[in-house]
Amino acid sequence: MKYLIVGLGNIGDEYRNTRHNIGFMILDAFAEASNISFATERYGDVGRGRIRNKQVVLLKPSTFMNLSGNAVRYWKEKEGIELENILVLVDDLALPLGAIRLKGRGSDAGHNGLKNIAAMLGTDAYPRLRFGIGSDFPRGCQVDYVLGNFPAEERTVLNDRITVACEAIREYVLAGLGNAMCKYNNK
């Protein structure tokens, strides 16, 4: 069985540590913990490996956030991966910092990366791991907030929660979405 794990983010040093790039951060940590390295390929940086008897393809799209669906569709088709075996890692303003919610489908909730993925796949019925980045910003400053770096006081909490997110990904691959949801939602 093969899985596609997609971390959403924007390419470039100016975006490296921004809230909107939490998908890249989680995927980098997961790759490191799993001894998987990335190589630049079509539509992004791709890593391949195994988690026990399961094959995983890790993808950090190079298409920028708002066009992530192009990369997801390409790698889904190229690798022959079923829709239910795609897990998208995404930032979420509606959740407090570090909160994790796994879901099997859902709306894009205004997230342009998720919106584009749904458009390119023709459905919103794909699993996602939503990672809370909080919403502590003044009205009208959402773009500056999501494209801003995590402040030092949040980095300590962030590192621990990224580790938990990596555990949730592993659980998803090995035991399925339902088990991962039961074990990690609200943890």
Side-chain angles (χ1 to χ4, degrees):
M1 198 171 282
K2 195 183 288 189
Y3 293 84
L4 177 62
I5 312 298
V6 182
L8 295 189
N10 286 309
I11 58 171
D13 287 339
E14 67 271 28
Y15 299 110
R16 184 174 314 280
N17 295 310
T18 64
R19 291 177 181 89
H20 220 25
N21 269 34
I22 193 66
F24 279 10
M25 291 177 205
I26 295 167
L27 201 60
D28 284 338
F30 182 78
E32 185 176 331
S34 304
N35 284 325
I36 297 172
S37 57
F38 288 97
T40 300
E41 296 189 35
R42 185 167 182 187
Y43 289 125
D45 289 343
V46 178
R48 292 176 182 81
R50 296 186 82 73
I51 307 296
R52 290 196 194 149
N53 62 337
K54 314 282 181 149
Q55 291 181 316
V56 293
V57 177
L58 310 182
L59 171 64
K60 295 189 299 183
S62 61
T63 54
F64 286 97
M65 181 72 75
N66 296 351
L67 298 174
S68 298
N70 294 330
V72 173
R73 183 178 66 184
Y74 174 81
W75 286 99
K76 174 194 181 301
E77 291 172 2
K78 179 175 177 26
E79 296 289 336
I81 297 172
E82 298 296 323
L83 192 61
E84 64 271 9
N85 290 350
I86 297 172
L87 181 66
V88 176
L89 316 175
V90 62
D91 61 288
D92 195 317
L93 285 166
L95 295 173
L97 178 66
I100 294 169
R101 295 292 180 280
L102 288 137
K103 293 178 66 174
R105 66 177 310 137
S107 77
D108 57 57
H111 193 288
N112 290 327
L114 294 180
K115 187 179 299 183
N116 187 252
I117 291 170
M120 297 305 287
L121 295 179
T123 182
D124 66 0
Y126 58 88
R128 73 269 327 254
L129 183 154
R130 297 166 40 221
F131 189 96
I133 60 169
S135 58
D136 187 21
F137 56 89
R139 186 178 174 100
C141 295
Q142 179 175 329
V143 171
D144 292 336
Y145 181 77
V146 298
L147 294 179
N149 290 335
F150 287 99
E153 63 272 10
E154 291 181 357
R155 294 289 298 174
T156 309
V157 171
L158 188 64
N159 292 335
D160 291 340
R161 298 307 297 166
I162 287 174
T163 299
V164 174
C166 290
E167 293 167 4
I169 296 166
R170 187 174 176 81
E171 184 75 13
Y172 163 77
V173 170
L174 294 176
L177 180 62
N179 287 329
M181 288 171 66
C182 287
K183 192 169 181 179
Y184 288 95
N185 284 358
N186 301 318
K187 180 178 180 185

